[in-house]
């Protein structure tokens, strides 16, 4: 009986004692350019084991390439990641099932982040990443920067939205249910693809653009990558020069997909384009 009371007392003391603080993870490996950008902004330097190789490539990075190259990198092979023995792996939501299972067998924590389609979804991901890293205050600071940038990028009251089309070299367009389309709406534009019923990565022939041109054409491409050569050929077609009502602007591919800190730069660029459009 005395032993039972002692055990009960020990359990009660344990229940009333403050929980031991969780140790923030170290040696974190990121396999995705969007999680790369979040990790660099929210983590301590010594928490980062490696970023993905994507962020070292100007055609695929959503952050400053020079900054990304200051960190170790990984090409994301399952064997390479397991050998590094990270305390946590962060990635997009398309991790193959076999890779996910292998990480689980080796006791590796995998945290997946899907592609945000709105500013609010991105802010939720920022809070989640900051909490995982043990720095929730940094997450709130980043969200405050995003909210400030969005307020500054908002169009003047009563301004009429301008139909804008994001166009990849070769004719691929961006659909309406994407983060960059959400940013377009918030900065004084109407996503042209959405109002024309076009989904993600649909093809827009030159003939259709001529017959039904957007007010603003945002051109994405990096040299000969992303259909750049074909894109220059199409954009250089003399018939486009006759579309006096359509204005063309360059839009960095690194601003298109990722949320987090990328939103600030994307909003600033879209606000600049909105001011220059006439």
């Amino acid at each position: 009986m005395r032993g039972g009371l002692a055990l009960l007392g020990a359990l009660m003391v344990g229940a009333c004692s403050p929980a031991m603080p969780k140790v923030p993870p170290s040696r974190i490996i990121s396999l995705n350019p969007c999680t790369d950008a979040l990790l660099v902004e929210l983590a301590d330097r010594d928490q980062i084991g490696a970023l993905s190789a994507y962020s070292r490539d100007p055609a695929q990075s959503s952050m400053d390439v020079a900054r990304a190259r200051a960190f170790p990198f990984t090409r994301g092979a399952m064997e390479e990641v397991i050998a590094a023995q990270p305390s946590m792996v962060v990635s997009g939501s398309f991790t193959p099932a076999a890779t996910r299972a292998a990480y689980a067998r080796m006791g590796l924590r995998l945290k997946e982040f899907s592609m945000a389609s709105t500013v609010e979804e991105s802010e939720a991901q920022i809070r989640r990443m900051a909490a995982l890293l043990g720095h929730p205050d940094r997450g709130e600071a980043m969200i405050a920067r995003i909210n400030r940038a969005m307020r500054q990028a908002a169009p003047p009251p009563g301004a009429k939205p301008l139909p804008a089309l994001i166009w990849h070299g070769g004719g691929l367009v961006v659909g309406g249910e994407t983060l960059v389309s959400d940013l377009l709406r918030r900065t004084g534009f109407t996503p042209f693809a959405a109002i024309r019923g076009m989904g993600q990565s649909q093809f827009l022939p030159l003939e259709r653009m001529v017959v039904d041109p957007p007010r603003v054409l945002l051109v994405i491409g990096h040299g000969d990558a992303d259909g750049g050569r074909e894109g220059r050929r199409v954009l250089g077609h003399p018939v486009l020069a006759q579309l006096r009502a359509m204005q063309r602007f360059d839009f960095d591919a690194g601003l298109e997909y990722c949320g987090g800190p990328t939103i600030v730069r994307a909003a600033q660029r879209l606000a600049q384009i909105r001011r220059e459009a006439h």
Side-chain angles (χ1 to χ4, degrees):
M1 179 68 177
R2 211 171 316 159
L5 289 173
L7 177 59
L8 177 60
L11 290 173
M12 291 177 66
V13 170
C16 297
S17 299
M20 292 295 290
K22 292 183 178 180
V23 178
S26 59
R27 301 190 322 281
I28 304 164
I29 288 181
S30 172
L31 305 179
N32 178 279
C34 297
T35 53
D36 288 348
L38 282 177
L39 195 60
V40 167
E41 292 289 335
L42 298 173
D44 290 336
R45 176 63 179 82
D46 59 7
Q47 287 183 286
I48 302 175
L51 303 180
S52 75
Y54 298 113
S55 289
R56 302 167 69 89
D57 181 354
Q60 302 181 81
S61 180
S62 66
M63 60 180 291
D64 179 71
V65 171
R67 189 177 184 188
R69 289 175 178 172
F71 293 89
F73 75 97
T74 176
R75 300 198 182 279
M78 179 177 64
E79 297 81 4
E80 179 187 4
V81 173
I82 291 174
Q85 296 185 317
S87 59
M88 188 166 71
V89 179
V90 293
S91 182
S93 58
F94 299 104
T95 307
T99 301
R100 196 180 296 115
Y103 289 164
R105 286 195 303 271
M106 300 303 296
L108 298 185
R109 296 171 61 196
L110 172 65
K111 301 297 181 180
E112 294 179 292
F113 289 76
S114 60
M115 189 172 292
S117 59
T118 65
V119 172
E120 289 80 9
E121 287 181 11
S122 179
E123 290 179 348
Q125 291 183 348
I126 292 168
R127 287 192 172 97
R128 180 185 173 213
M129 178 70 85
L132 288 171
L133 298 173
H135 306 299
D137 54 324
R138 297 179 190 175
E140 295 306 317
M142 180 184 292
I143 290 171
R145 292 197 300 273
I146 289 172
N147 290 336
R148 183 166 57 250
M150 296 310 304
R151 288 193 300 270
Q152 294 171 346
K160 185 178 180 180
L162 300 178
L165 177 69
I166 297 180
W167 194 86
H168 286 253
L172 291 178
V173 302
V174 175
E177 301 304 316
T178 58
L179 177 59
V180 71
S181 292
D182 186 39
L183 294 177
L184 283 173
R185 295 184 184 97
R186 294 168 185 259
T187 54
F189 299 93
T190 299
F192 186 82
I195 62 178
R196 293 299 184 271
M198 301 186 71
Q200 180 72 0
S201 298
Q202 280 194 262
F203 178 73
L204 179 67
L206 176 62
E207 295 79 7
R208 183 173 173 184
M209 189 189 299
V210 170
V211 172
D212 183 23
R215 179 68 182 75
V216 173
L217 184 68
L218 304 179
V219 181
I220 290 180
H222 284 284
D224 287 339
D226 193 31
R229 183 179 300 165
E230 173 65 11
R232 286 196 300 274
R233 183 191 69 79
V234 173
L235 290 174
H237 197 289
V239 71
L240 287 183
Q242 301 175 25
L243 302 179
R244 304 297 183 185
M246 184 180 76
Q247 288 183 269
R248 188 186 313 173
F249 298 90
D250 291 330
F251 193 72
D252 190 341
L255 303 178
E256 184 179 0
Y257 294 112
C258 295
T262 310
I263 291 177
V264 174
R265 293 184 293 116
Q268 290 170 344
R269 175 58 179 149
L270 289 171
Q272 178 187 19
I273 292 171
R274 182 67 175 80
R275 290 191 297 270
E276 294 177 4
H278 55 77

